[in-house]
Amino acid sequence: MENREQQDRDKTLITDAKQINVAEGNAKVIEWEDFEHELARLWSLSSALKEANEKKQSLQEKLQAFIQVKNESLNKLNELEEMRERLEARKLVMENMSARCKVAKEDAKSREEMLSTEVRALLVAGTSLSVAKKRLQESNRLLTEERGYIKLKNVQRKLRARQQYMISQLSLLYPVKIIVGPAQEQELESYPGSSRLGNSSVSKPINQGSLTILGLHLSMLPFTKMSFFTDKKEVQRSATALGYVAHVVSLIASYLQVPLRYPLRLGGSRSYINDYAPSVEPMSSDLSWDTAITANLKPVEFPLFLEGQDTTRAAYAVFLLNKDIEQLLNFIGVKSLGPRHVLANLKELLRTVQSSEYIDT
């Protein structure tokens, strides 16, 4: 039975071999004597082919597994590369944050030092303020008492008496007197009898006399009608008188401790007065006008004399000088007679300060 099955397989192999040879067009005639040998060879080839196919299948499976592992490895590698790039980016961010943190730390340290300095200064200032507050409370306590108020009034009286004495000496150096009699040119049309606030001035006729300072008249005519035929000596006398007035006003302001609105630059008959007002008024629509800029403006000087000068500038200088006298009069509570009465205002200033009312106020 086994031999028959073997023969059937052999016939099948022979038939397959013939079909193969016929299909390939290479028909081969095998002798019967060589049939068994050829059959064995074909059987071995079939076994080898089967084994090769099995190995091939195994290799394909292994290769497929290897390819899959390789793909997974590549994917992992790509993921690792992406993670490395993100790590580098994070590292760069951390370095930037560390640098910023270092700068912020240094800034905070410097601010802390500044703050500690300010705190120390505040502590010192607080201590000084506390001491000053205690002194103020003590001063207030003393002032609220009858003796303290009396002491303050006595000090004020002594101060005013001292001011009165210095200004009386000044009036002896620069006496302002009324020259009684007819005069061709006069500065004033009236002068006050008593010009305290609330009292009216007493008018005098023009021909009753004129005011002089140290014997010199202050005629306003050259300042308004200067011409080629104007008397040069009269111009010089007016400039000298204005120099005297400027000196007196400057000294009285220093005695009374009043900063003049229009400061003076003394030079005898060549004195000047300064005006800090801007020469050009700002536009009403200019809302950005800064007061600091106005405070830093350079003063404009105006001459208190006529020789070689514009009459308009000189007349304006006399006007500003009278404004200074008016400022001092207002400080002691006296009315001014107006912008044309320079010597009369000065005389009233000297008279009021030397009166007994000045000490009692």
Side-chain angles (χ1 to χ4, degrees), residues 331-343:
F331 178 75
I332 62 174
V334 179
K335 279 185 177 180
S336 171
L337 294 174
R340 297 176 60 246
H341 305 161
V342 177
L343 287 181

Side-chain angles (χ1 to χ4, degrees), residues 341-359:
H341 305 161
V342 177
L343 287 181
N345 285 332
L346 180 61
K347 181 175 178 59
E348 182 62 18
L349 176 63
L350 294 170
R351 186 197 67 79
T352 304
V353 173
Q354 295 179 76
S355 65
S356 59
E357 298 175 357
Y358 179 76
I359 296 179

Side-chain angles (χ1 to χ4, degrees), residues 71-210:
N71 290 333
E72 292 178 356
S73 299
L74 289 176
N75 292 333
K76 294 291 184 179
L77 186 61
N78 292 333
E79 292 178 359
L80 288 174
E81 185 67 21
E82 292 178 357
M83 292 177 64
R84 188 184 66 81
E85 291 177 356
R86 289 197 296 268
L87 182 61
E88 290 293 332
R90 292 287 182 87
K91 184 178 179 181
L92 183 60
V93 171
M94 291 297 294
E95 289 178 355
N96 293 333
M97 291 181 64
S98 177
R100 292 180 182 178
C101 183
K102 184 177 180 180
V103 173
K105 184 177 180 181
E106 293 177 354
D107 185 58
K109 185 177 180 180
S110 61
R111 287 178 179 272
E112 183 180 0
E113 293 176 354
M114 292 175 59
L115 184 61
S116 61
T117 304
E118 292 178 357
V119 167
R120 288 194 296 270
L122 285 175
L123 290 175
V124 174
T127 304
S128 302
L129 182 61
S130 178
V131 173
K133 185 178 180 181
K134 290 180 179 178
R135 290 178 180 176
L136 181 61
Q137 290 175 350
E138 182 67 19
S139 299
N140 289 333
R141 187 183 63 80
L142 293 176
L143 287 176
T144 52
E145 297 177 358
E146 184 178 356
R147 293 183 59 187
Y149 180 75
I150 294 174
K151 185 177 180 180
L152 176 63
K153 293 296 292 184
N154 290 334
V155 171
Q156 289 179 344
R157 286 176 60 87
K158 289 181 181 180
L159 177 62
R160 289 180 179 270
R162 182 62 178 171
Q163 292 173 344
Q164 189 181 68
Y165 173 75
M166 291 188 293
I167 292 176
S168 65
Q169 296 298 312
L170 186 62
S171 65
L172 293 177
L173 293 174
Y174 294 100
V176 180
K177 297 181 179 180
I178 299 176
I179 305 299
V180 180
Q184 295 179 354
E185 297 174 356
Q186 295 173 336
E187 182 202 14
L188 308 174
E189 295 180 358
S190 63
Y191 52 89
S194 176
S195 60
R196 269 291 187 191
L197 290 176
N199 297 333
S200 60
S201 62
V202 180
S203 298
K204 295 284 185 179
I206 294 177
N207 59 359
Q208 290 298 316
S210 61

Side-chain angles (χ1 to χ4, degrees), residues 4 7 12 19 55 70 72 89 93 103-104 131 145 171 176 212 217 227 237 258 260 285 292 306-307 313 356:
R4 188 174 181 177
Q7 289 177 2
T12 303
Q19 290 177 355
K55 289 182 178 180
K70 185 68 174 178
E72 292 178 356
V93 171
V103 173
V131 173
E145 297 177 358
S171 65
V176 180
T212 61
H217 291 279
S227 67
R237 286 195 295 270
V258 177
L260 292 175
S285 59
L306 274 178
E307 187 174 348
R313 289 173 58 83
S356 59

Side-chain angles (χ1 to χ4, degrees), residues 275-286 289 294 297 316:
D275 185 10
Y276 284 87
S279 58
V280 179
E281 293 294 333
M283 299 297 291
S284 60
S285 59
D286 186 9
W289 183 261
T294 305
L297 287 175
Y316 185 65

Side-chain angles (χ1 to χ4, degrees), residues 44-54:
S44 62
L45 288 175
S46 175
S47 300
L49 179 61
K50 184 178 180 181
E51 185 179 356
N53 288 331
E54 291 176 355

